[in-house]
Amino acid sequence: MAKEQNLSLTPSKISGSCGRLMCCLKYEQEAYEEKLSRLPKVGAIVKTEDGEGTVEAVEILKEIVKVKIVEKDDIKFKKYDAKNIKIIKDAEVTDDEEGESEDLKELEKMEELDKEEMNN
């Protein structure tokens, strides 16, 4: 969850003002998943009004996609509204994305430990 929301995975940095791991991440997760389903992954090939390019970054909440367009000897980076681009080929799942589930499991374990400490 923290990784999808572009947050640090360091427990001290994802602790809320209450001192516990941010349970608010769970409440926001559904919105992030819904937006991510409409957005291309980094590395995807997309068609824009300026030609074909590769997705370099995605601003999830704003639904903005930064695209790298290569024309002859010229390389341009430009941001586009996600609804104004067409995905030609989405990026493949990377090992990093597969590792997200391991990070999620670790975060859940840490939350369980935090709950146990609060109950004792």
Side-chain angles (χ1 to χ4, degrees):
M1 286 183 280
K3 194 165 188 177
E4 286 178 353
Q5 297 178 26
N6 293 325
L7 299 173
S8 171
L9 295 177
T10 307
S12 63
K13 292 186 179 183
I14 56 174
S15 294
S17 58
C18 61
R20 297 172 51 199
L21 292 175
M22 286 188 181
C23 54
C24 50
L25 293 176
K26 291 180 184 176
Y27 297 109
E28 297 169 351
Q29 186 62 22
E30 188 176 318
Y32 274 87
E33 288 174 356
E34 189 269 326
K35 287 186 178 288
L36 281 170
S37 70
R38 295 192 308 244
L39 298 171
K41 293 179 180 73
V42 172
I45 299 171
V46 295
K47 184 174 183 174
T48 70
E49 60 190 33
D50 299 316
E52 288 185 14
T54 306
V55 176
E56 291 294 310
V58 178
E59 295 178 29
I60 300 167
L61 293 177
K62 294 179 182 178
E63 294 189 25
I64 301 290
V65 181
K66 182 178 178 184
V67 180
K68 174 179 149 183
I69 300 173
V70 179
E71 295 176 349
K72 298 180 184 177
D73 294 332
D74 188 32
I75 298 174
K76 294 189 288 185
F77 291 92
K78 192 169 178 184
K79 292 183 179 182
Y80 298 91
D81 194 322
K83 61 186 171 196
N84 295 332
I85 63 171
K86 181 180 178 188
I87 300 171
I88 296 173
K89 182 180 179 203
D90 212 351
E92 300 293 322
V93 175
T94 63
D95 291 338
D96 189 38
E97 290 171 348
E98 291 171 354
E100 286 181 23
S101 62
E102 292 175 19
D103 293 336
L104 179 58
K105 288 177 187 175
E106 184 177 337
L107 184 59
E108 288 171 351
K109 285 180 187 177
M110 292 166 66
E111 287 175 340
E112 288 175 23
L113 290 172
D114 193 33
K115 286 178 186 176
E116 287 176 12
E117 286 179 10
M118 294 297 288
N119 291 334
N120 291 336

